[in-house]
């Protein structure tokens, strides 16, 4: 089965998405997500200018060989642009192979390990009261796990809080908007937030929280310790993870579980974190981690150390990524949880899909392949719009992590 054509589709049904579509001589096609929020066109160019010419004529069934060819063959390894491009090829080829076998992808990955994929929603509000109400809304929708993000008193914006609550979209401006951050204000407010959530809703639901890389290791240790009474499912990205051994310091101070990985690209980014059991959940997902082929290796490494998965699933991961991630989630033994930020109706229409949400679980559906397609005609109606993620400064004007 030869690859005869491939193209990149950039569309903005409410937000930007980059999708690779690969066509074979047997009339089958597959798609893969290549979206890199705020840097979309760099991946589109990497695919169009440097990868697609090398794909034409290759055997679409040789997924691992093509992965190795693109990874080793570029000479320049790793990085978000390279790995998102490779991921798109890999996902599209798995989609094709599963369609060729007339099976949902999870069957090719070993079959189901569970009935459904537990997801967490992203409850957010501009202040404590609004956030408490939003948590209640997710409980009413049937979620068993809820990530809680709130505006911090004294700061006029922060990660995770949006006007359109159900469809959080941080890439909000055609040049990066500037947020102001205070670690002191955040650290004094956050335990109060979780105290109130537990007081109002009890301890039945799993609660999560995203620190979004904003603390030093010792500050993260302090936060984790101060949240122990509220029994969080995880504390996410407590500190930047370029220096993996920094997590040893957090571990010395708290038993609050730790999740990281949404900005990682390869197994080498989490090797030490996993092997030293410095984390509990690895949050890499299909598009930014070299596709299904590479993610399987990461999950297998994690399995050895009792680290579970927690795939990133924000709005900038397209339905093509979500579909592939769900097949992956349902088929691996050490699945933990899947993030699920809902896409807008416009996005769902451009990407018709077989996955569905019921009672706090997502189900990949039984359509052959990843179960997601792209409506190219509709996609054309939504041209690309430049959009950047915000940047963050401390109150004195110094740059901080967003
Ligand atoms: O593009 C960046 C977003 O995906 C990220 O800010 C969302 O942290 C995030 C999350 O956990 O969903
Ligand atoms: Mg996050």
């Amino acid at each position: 089965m030869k690859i005869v054509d491939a193209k990149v589709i950039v569309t903005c049904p409410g937000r930007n998405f980059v999708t690779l579509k690969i066509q074979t001589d047997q009339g089958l096609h597959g798609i893969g997500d290549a979206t890199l929020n705020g840097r979309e066109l760099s991946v589109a160019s990497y695919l169009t200018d440097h990868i697609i010419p090398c794909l034409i004529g290759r055997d679409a069934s040789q997924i691992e060989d093509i992965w190795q060819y693109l990874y080793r063959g570029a000479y320049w390894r790793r990085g978000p642009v390279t790995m998102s491009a490779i991921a798109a090829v890999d996902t599209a080829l798995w989609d094709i192979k599963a369609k060729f076998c007339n099976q949902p992808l999870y069957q090719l990955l070993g079959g189901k390990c569970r009935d459904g994929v537990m997801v967490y929603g992203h409850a957010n509000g501009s202040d404590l009261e609004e956030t408490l109400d939003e948590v209640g809304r997710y409980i009413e929708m049937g979620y068993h796990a809820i990530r809680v993000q709130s505006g911090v008193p004294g700061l006029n914006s922060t990660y995770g809080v949006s006007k359109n609550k159900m469809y959080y979209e941080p890439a909000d401006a055609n040049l990066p908007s500037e947020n102001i951050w205070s670690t002191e204000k955040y650290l004094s407010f956050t335990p109060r937030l979780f105290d109130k959530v537990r007081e109002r809703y009890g301890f039945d639901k799993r609660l999560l929280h995203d620190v979004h890389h904003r603390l030093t290791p010792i500050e993260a240790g302090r936060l984790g310790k101060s949240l122990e009474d509220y029994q969080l499912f995880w504390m996410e990205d407590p500190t930047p993870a370029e220096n993996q051994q920094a997590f040893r310091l957090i571990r010395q101070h708290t038993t609050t579980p730790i999740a990281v990985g949404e900005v990682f690209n390869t197994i080498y980014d989490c090797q030490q974190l996993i092997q030293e059991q410095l984390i509990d959940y690895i949050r890499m997902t299909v598009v930014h981690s070299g596709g299904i082929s590479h993610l399987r290796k990461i999950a297998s490494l994690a399995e050895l150390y009792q680290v579970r998965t927690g795939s990133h699933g924000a709005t900038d991961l397209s339905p093509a990524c979500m579909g592939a991630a769900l097949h992956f989630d349902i088929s691996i033994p050490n699945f933990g949880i899947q993030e699920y930020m809902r896409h807008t109706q416009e996005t769902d229409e451009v990407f018709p899909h077989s996955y569905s949400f019921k009672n706090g679980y997502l189900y990949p559906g039984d359509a052959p392949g990843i179960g997601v397609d792209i409506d190219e005609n509709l996609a054309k109606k939504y041209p690309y719009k430049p959009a950047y993620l915000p940047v963050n400064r401390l109150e004195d004007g110094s740059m901080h992590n967003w």
Side-chain angles (χ1 to χ4, degrees):
M1 187 169 38
K2 291 225 176 316
I3 298 174
V4 290
D5 195 16
K7 66 173 160 185
V8 174
I9 301 153
V10 181
T11 180
C12 186
R15 69 158 349 283
N16 291 313
F17 294 110
V18 180
T19 309
L20 176 70
K21 181 170 180 176
I22 295 180
Q23 199 79 44
T24 67
D25 59 358
Q26 302 213 355
L28 291 174
H29 75 268
I31 66 165
D33 184 21
T35 308
L36 186 61
N37 205 0
R39 297 291 185 271
E40 294 87 358
L41 299 185
S42 56
V43 191
S45 160
Y46 194 103
L47 283 164
T48 306
D49 299 325
H50 304 292
I51 285 192
I52 290 176
C54 307
L55 287 180
I56 308 301
R58 285 188 186 278
D59 181 348
S61 66
Q62 292 187 304
I63 302 178
E64 182 65 28
D65 182 64
I66 290 178
W67 196 97
Q68 298 292 337
Y69 177 83
L70 296 175
Y71 183 80
R72 293 166 194 256
Y75 185 65
W76 312 107
R77 296 179 181 216
R78 306 167 68 181
V81 175
T82 301
M83 297 310 288
S84 302
I86 293 177
V89 176
D90 187 79
T91 309
L93 294 180
W94 276 108
D95 191 22
I96 289 168
K97 194 184 271 291
K99 284 176 177 165
F100 179 77
C101 300
N102 199 25
Q103 295 289 333
L105 175 60
Y106 66 77
Q107 292 293 12
L108 277 66
L109 301 178
K112 285 187 190 177
C113 271
R114 57 196 52 78
D115 300 328
V117 171
M118 186 188 282
V119 297
Y120 65 87
H122 179 85
N124 67 96
S126 55
D127 58 23
L128 206 155
E129 271 309 310
E130 202 176 273
T131 307
L132 287 175
D133 290 347
E134 285 300 309
V135 172
R137 191 164 158 206
Y138 276 86
I139 292 173
E140 273 167 28
M141 284 190 288
Y143 282 80
H144 305 287
I146 301 159
R147 191 170 66 186
V148 184
Q149 304 297 142
S150 172
V152 176
L155 299 180
N156 52 15
S157 53
T158 187
Y159 164 75
V161 180
S162 70
K163 286 184 209 92
N164 191 346
K165 302 211 157 12
M166 202 49 76
Y167 309 105
Y168 175 54
E169 186 44 78
D172 59 359
N174 59 1
L175 283 175
S177 47
E178 302 227 345
N179 292 184
I180 302 296
W181 176 252
S182 158
T183 295
E184 294 72 23
K185 289 179 176 135
Y186 169 77
L187 284 179
S188 85
F189 171 70
T190 304
R192 199 148 51 86
L193 168 69
F194 281 91
D195 187 47
K196 292 288 170 205
V197 177
R198 286 302 190 199
E199 187 183 288
R200 187 174 303 181
Y201 298 110
F203 281 77
D204 286 352
K205 301 289 172 190
R206 294 158 180 82
L207 296 183
L208 302 83
H209 180 66
D210 192 348
V211 185
H212 223 253
H213 326 268
R214 290 173 182 204
L215 301 179
T216 64
I218 197 68
E219 289 163 353
R222 179 179 145 201
L223 177 69
K225 201 170 177 176
S226 70
L227 295 176
E228 280 171 12
D229 285 350
Y230 313 116
Q231 297 173 23
L232 263 60
F233 185 86
W234 79 36
M235 166 171 80
E236 177 177 330
D237 290 331
T239 197
E242 286 95 330
N243 180 16
Q244 297 183 37
Q245 66 197 20
F247 282 69
R248 286 185 195 143
L249 190 54
I250 309 177
R251 283 295 211 208
Q252 283 162 16
H253 293 281
T254 182
T255 55
T256 296
I258 299 172
V260 298
E262 66 182 49
V263 301
F264 296 174
N265 316 120
T266 71
I267 198 163
Y268 306 106
D269 297 326
C270 54
Q271 187 178 10
Q272 187 182 7
L273 289 172
I274 289 173
Q275 288 179 327
E276 289 191 28
Q277 296 182 301
L278 299 177
I279 58 171
D280 302 282
Y281 296 91
I282 180 71
R283 292 192 61 256
M284 298 165 76
T285 193
V286 180
V287 56
H288 299 141
S289 320
I292 297 274
S293 299
H294 195 59
L295 203 52
R296 287 175 89 190
K297 293 175 187 172
I298 294 166
S300 295
L301 175 69
E303 187 190 345
L304 297 180
Y305 298 94
Q306 300 186 50
V307 172
R308 293 192 283 155
T309 64
S311 275
H312 188 202
T315 47
D316 50 298
L317 293 313
S318 95
C321 176
M322 179 59 82
L326 292 173
H327 288 271
F328 173 77
D329 294 338
I330 211 157
S331 67
I332 56 165
N334 55 327
F335 166 74
I337 202 163
Q338 166 72 51
E339 177 178 6
Y340 177 43
M341 274 196 205
R342 286 158 189 259
H343 289 114
T344 60
Q345 194 184 333
E346 291 157 303
T347 298
D348 282 342
E349 283 166 5
V350 168
F351 294 93
H353 52 262
S354 68
Y355 62 79
S356 57
F357 173 85
K358 197 172 167 207
N359 297 332
Y361 289 83
L362 276 172
Y363 298 88
D366 286 321
I370 62 169
V372 182
D373 212 336
I374 182 161
D375 180 334
E376 287 189 61
N377 287 329
L378 198 53
K380 280 189 197 128
K381 292 193 182 152
Y382 302 106
Y384 167 76
K385 279 194 208 138
Y388 281 88
L389 290 168
V391 296
N392 222 7
R393 289 187 187 278
L394 300 179
E395 288 169 306
D396 72 355
S398 328
M399 278 300 298
H400 194 59
N401 313 311
W402 178 71

